[in-house]
Amino acid sequence: MSDRTEPLLQVRKLRKYFVQRSGVFRQHKRYVHAVDDVSFDIPRGETLGLVGESGCGKSTLGRTLLRLYQPDAGSIHFQGQELTALSGGEMRRMRRHLQMVFQDPYDSLNPRHSVGNIIEEPLLVHGMGDRRERQARVRALIDQVGLPADSVDRYPHEFSGGQRQRIGIARAIACNPAFIVCDEAVSALDVSIQAQIVNLLLDLRQSMELTLLFISHDLSVVRHLSDRVAVMYLGQIVEIAPAATIYENARHPYTRYLIAAIPQPRVDSTPPPAVGGDIPSPLAPPSGCRFHTRCPMATERCAHEAPLLELITTDGGEHRAACHYWRETPGRLP
Ligand code: SF4
């Protein structure tokens, strides 16, 4: 039985590495540190935004939470159950409660299946309702996500990008899930269409009491949708706080650069401060603070000692940052 007062999702020390082999006989093994020692909670009904540059491990984290990738270590506690302990069959049954909306709605929809079949598929997989009930549910879902009523017998290629994402969302909510991972769900869409899909997600969150993990590299979109925001760098969470705190009082230098890079109307031609260099290879993350190779505030200590995700305050919601010098960061973005 799940306790309604405990967080819907509790993640502790989650780790996911991928093996990369090289050599003539592929005998040399190296490990991509995609998700490394990640811990966080998501309370019921909350939207947690997850941001960071491409390749920082956001999507891998989202997929590992749903066990689309098998975690190497750590725990994922969901509605009173430990997901990492479930067998393959038990996890397949559990997926009814945990769903995903993907970035590219066209790639994730079978072009040979009608929209009605695509949306009905999860109902069939989980044995929900008889044929007539499933068809009624499909029609209700089509209406709920704002698609035309005649969509049921049409095919994905007949729809625009925004409409295809609505089909993906209808499929994701078909079984009344509690938790949805939205992986760059609006990134491939035009700005005006993005706003419509974000508003749809906001409506569904409220009407269905959904809990969301909203993954995006676009901080302005995340701000609109999220209650809290977690910032990821090279497989680790470096800052997590209520959304307003992240945008107005970030303490980690990396977060501050991400915020500064959000496009704004500018009165002068000065470019915004930008974080220098490329993200290092996750095959060999830097020692100490992983950001030290790019951080203008780095000291000798940063190269040797990994900072903890330290509690800064609980005023207005818990704020944590992984920087030895978080006390000194306000006003010091170079
Ligand atoms: Fe920069 Fe050091 Fe803070 Fe890391 S610990 S973010 S290198 S100042």
Side-chain angles (χ1 to χ4, degrees), residues 212-227:
L212 302 177
L213 178 68
F214 190 82
I215 299 172
S216 179
H217 64 277
D218 184 340
L219 273 82
S220 42
V221 174
V222 169
R223 180 175 203 163
H224 194 60
L225 197 70
S226 306
D227 301 301

Side-chain angles (χ1 to χ4, degrees), residues 21-74:
R21 292 180 180 273
S22 60
V24 180
F25 301 107
R26 299 175 57 76
Q27 72 276 35
H28 301 305
K29 277 204 259 180
R30 296 171 78 198
Y31 293 92
V32 176
H33 297 223
V35 173
D36 215 350
D37 199 18
V38 166
S39 301
F40 62 93
D41 293 344
I42 311 186
R44 281 170 201 282
E46 183 186 86
T47 299
L48 177 67
L50 183 63
V51 301
E53 291 163 288
S54 296
C56 71
K58 317 182 287 291
S59 293
T60 303
L61 174 56
R63 284 160 200 244
T64 308
L65 292 179
L66 304 195
R67 280 192 50 194
L68 298 174
Y69 296 143
Q70 293 308 316
D72 295 315

Side-chain angles (χ1 to χ4, degrees), residues 101 145 165-174 197 200-201 204:
V101 176
V145 299
Q165 197 53 292
R166 288 176 192 270
I167 299 168
I169 292 169
R171 181 179 57 183
I173 63 172
I197 299 298
L200 172 62
L201 289 169
L204 293 174

Side-chain angles (χ1 to χ4, degrees), residues 252-253 289 291-292 295 297-298 302 307 323-325:
H252 196 286
C289 174
F291 189 53
H292 86 261
C295 180
M297 291 175 57
C302 303
C323 172
H324 296 309
Y325 302 108

Side-chain angles (χ1 to χ4, degrees), residues 33 89 108 117 119 125 143 166 168 170 202 217 267 290 297 307:
H33 297 223
S108 64
N117 286 342
I119 300 174
V125 167
D143 180 55
R166 288 176 192 270
L202 285 168
H217 64 277
V267 286
R290 292 185 176 187
M297 291 175 57

Side-chain angles (χ1 to χ4, degrees), residues 14 21 23-24 34-35 40-41 49 71 86-87 90 108 119 123 136 152 159 187 190 220 234 251:
L14 192 67
R21 292 180 180 273
V24 180
V35 173
F40 62 93
D41 293 344
L86 299 184
S87 67
E90 289 169 333
S108 64
I119 300 174
L123 300 169
V152 68
F159 293 86
S187 303
D190 291 343
S220 42
L234 219 51
R251 296 303 184 95

Side-chain angles (χ1 to χ4, degrees), residues 2-309:
S2 68
D3 175 353
R4 299 284 305 175
T5 60
E6 73 177 23
L8 184 80
L9 190 78
Q10 292 174 293
V11 180
R12 294 292 176 271
K13 294 186 172 298
L14 192 67
R15 194 175 81 200
K16 177 64 194 171
Y17 290 178
F18 295 102
V19 180
Q20 197 175 78
R21 292 180 180 273
S22 60
V24 180
F25 301 107
R26 299 175 57 76
Q27 72 276 35
H28 301 305
K29 277 204 259 180
R30 296 171 78 198
Y31 293 92
V32 176
H33 297 223
V35 173
D36 215 350
D37 199 18
V38 166
S39 301
F40 62 93
D41 293 344
I42 311 186
R44 281 170 201 282
E46 183 186 86
T47 299
L48 177 67
L50 183 63
V51 301
E53 291 163 288
S54 296
C56 71
K58 317 182 287 291
S59 293
T60 303
L61 174 56
R63 284 160 200 244
T64 308
L65 292 179
L66 304 195
R67 280 192 50 194
L68 298 174
Y69 296 143
Q70 293 308 316
D72 295 315
S75 77
I76 307 164
H77 208 62
F78 172 78
Q79 286 191 333
Q81 292 212 56
E82 179 51 49
L83 297 190
T84 58
L86 299 184
S87 67
E90 289 169 333
M91 191 60 221
R92 274 191 291 283
R93 287 191 286 283
M94 178 59 85
R95 286 234 170 77
R96 174 187 158 180
H97 306 289
L98 305 112
Q99 288 289 323
M100 188 145 188
V101 176
F102 297 90
Q103 173 174 6
D104 188 333
Y106 199 64
D107 268 6
S108 64
L109 303 176
N110 189 328
R112 289 190 295 276
H113 286 189
S114 69
V115 169
N117 286 342
I118 288 169
I119 300 174
E120 187 186 4
E121 189 191 0
L123 300 169
L124 270 170
V125 167
H126 294 289
M128 296 175 74
D130 59 25
R131 185 168 162 69
R132 205 178 355 183
E133 287 165 336
R134 286 195 305 271
Q135 286 178 345
R137 174 82 179 134
V138 167
R139 283 194 296 276
L141 286 161
I142 282 174
D143 180 55
Q144 194 173 3
V145 299
L147 286 166
D150 66 354
S151 302
V152 68
D153 292 321
R154 293 162 62 194
Y155 288 82
H157 72 269
E158 299 176 53
F159 293 86
S160 67
Q163 287 176 319
R164 288 199 290 259
Q165 197 53 292
R166 288 176 192 270
I167 299 168
I169 292 169
R171 181 179 57 183
I173 63 172
C175 297
N176 268 323
F179 177 59
I180 299 183
V181 174
C182 301
D183 185 9
E184 300 279 8
V186 299
S187 303
L189 305 174
D190 291 343
V191 174
S192 60
I193 308 296
Q194 280 186 2
Q196 293 172 16
I197 299 298
V198 165
N199 287 336
L200 172 62
L201 289 169
L202 285 168
D203 288 348
L204 293 174
R205 180 180 72 169
Q206 186 154 11
S207 61
M208 298 180 68
E209 299 181 351
L210 286 169
T211 304
L212 302 177
L213 178 68
F214 190 82
I215 299 172
S216 179
H217 64 277
D218 184 340
L219 273 82
S220 42
V221 174
V222 169
R223 180 175 203 163
H224 194 60
L225 197 70
S226 306
D227 301 301
R228 284 190 308 145
V229 174
V231 180
M232 219 170 157
Y233 184 76
L234 219 51
Q236 297 182 324
I237 289 180
V238 297
E239 187 155 16
I240 183 164
T245 306
I246 285 283
Y247 288 90
E248 284 150 31
N249 194 22
R251 296 303 184 95
H252 196 286
Y254 179 60
T255 310
R256 293 169 68 80
Y257 275 112
L258 291 181
I259 306 285
I262 297 174
Q264 320 251 10
R266 299 180 81 85
V267 286
D268 58 34
S269 55
T270 323
V275 59
D278 292 328
I279 191 163
S281 168
L283 279 166
S287 60
C289 174
R290 292 185 176 187
F291 189 53
H292 86 261
T293 54
R294 302 169 78 192
C295 180
M297 291 175 57
T299 64
E300 191 62 26
R301 179 187 178 195
C302 303
H304 303 295
E305 190 185 326
L308 299 173
L309 191 59

